[in-house]
Amino acid sequence: DLVMLDNKVNFNLDIWNRVTTDMLFEVPVTYTAGQADQPRFNVGGLTNKGVDISLGFNDSKGDFNYGINANFSTYSNNVDVLDDSPDTRFFGDSRRVPALTVTEAGSPLSSFYGFQNLGIFQSQAEADAWPTYGDYNAPGKFKVADINNDGVIDDDDRTIIGSPHPDFTYGINID
């Protein structure tokens, strides 16, 4: 933290690296387990690294006080380990639709999970040459990636398609 010029200018810089162990996580159970809520267990580890910066200017002219402050923040988030197996995955809530998030080692916490879109079919010939996805393939529809290269698009082709964590956040305050 830095304040100078008779408290008119302030600057703050925070650099952080936080390692969390024994995260509290909902682990799914089967619906026949007879339990109303999903139990929570301590699992794995997570690393967050980031930078927060703020800069402000405050002054007064007679009875009129004014200031402008800006901030910027960025961080990265990575699940280091969940348990002894590197293949362990914990899926997000999936009561009515398949899970839209997944947590696994080496990826951000609660990563978006789904089909990877490679574009749009431009012709019937292009759709016919693509791996089958039921009767979905047709001109004007999405080309879904065959992640496991088995020639069929199914749930095994869902993959991590993005991070729910922003690249950065910022703000400006004028008062």
Side-chain angles (χ1 to χ4, degrees):
D1 293 352
L2 174 70
V3 178
M4 57 187 178
L5 299 178
D6 202 25
N7 288 331
K8 290 182 180 182
V9 176
N10 61 73
F11 175 78
N12 178 280
L13 172 67
D14 291 321
I15 300 172
W16 41 275
N17 180 12
R18 181 179 176 136
V19 177
T20 302
T21 58
D22 294 328
M23 298 181 298
L24 194 59
F25 208 89
E26 282 186 6
V27 178
V29 295
T30 61
Y31 290 113
T32 59
Q35 194 153 342
D37 290 326
Q38 292 179 331
R40 289 155 179 84
F41 294 98
N42 293 96
V43 297
L46 171 77
T47 300
N48 287 297
K49 297 177 182 180
V51 176
D52 298 324
I53 301 170
S54 66
L55 178 64
F57 178 79
N58 298 293
D59 199 6
S60 61
K61 299 292 182 196
D63 290 339
F64 181 70
N65 297 320
Y66 62 95
I68 184 168
N69 296 284
N71 61 59
F72 176 87
S73 181
T74 185
Y75 72 98
S76 66
N77 170 287
N78 185 64
V79 176
D80 301 320
V81 64
L82 289 175
D83 62 15
D84 293 335
S85 172
D87 298 326
T88 298
R89 290 178 161 179
F90 293 138
F91 291 94
D93 194 22
S94 61
R95 289 193 172 96
R96 294 188 181 184
V97 296
L100 302 176
T101 62
V102 66
T103 297
E104 65 183 21
S107 299
L109 184 69
S110 296
S111 295
F112 293 127
Y113 186 72
F115 292 110
Q116 185 179 13
N117 178 356
L118 299 178
I120 296 176
F121 291 117
Q122 300 299 313
S123 68
Q124 188 62 48
E126 184 182 18
D128 292 342
W130 202 256
T132 60
Y133 186 20
D135 59 357
Y136 176 82
N137 293 358
K141 293 192 174 183
F142 294 126
K143 282 197 274 189
V144 177
D146 184 13
I147 298 297
N148 62 3
N149 295 315
D150 65 355
V152 177
I153 307 295
D154 56 19
D155 276 348
D156 292 336
D157 294 304
R158 295 187 337 143
T159 188
I160 292 176
I161 56 175
S163 172
H165 307 280
D167 293 334
F168 61 89
T169 59
Y170 65 93
I172 296 176
N173 184 35
I174 300 172
D175 49 305

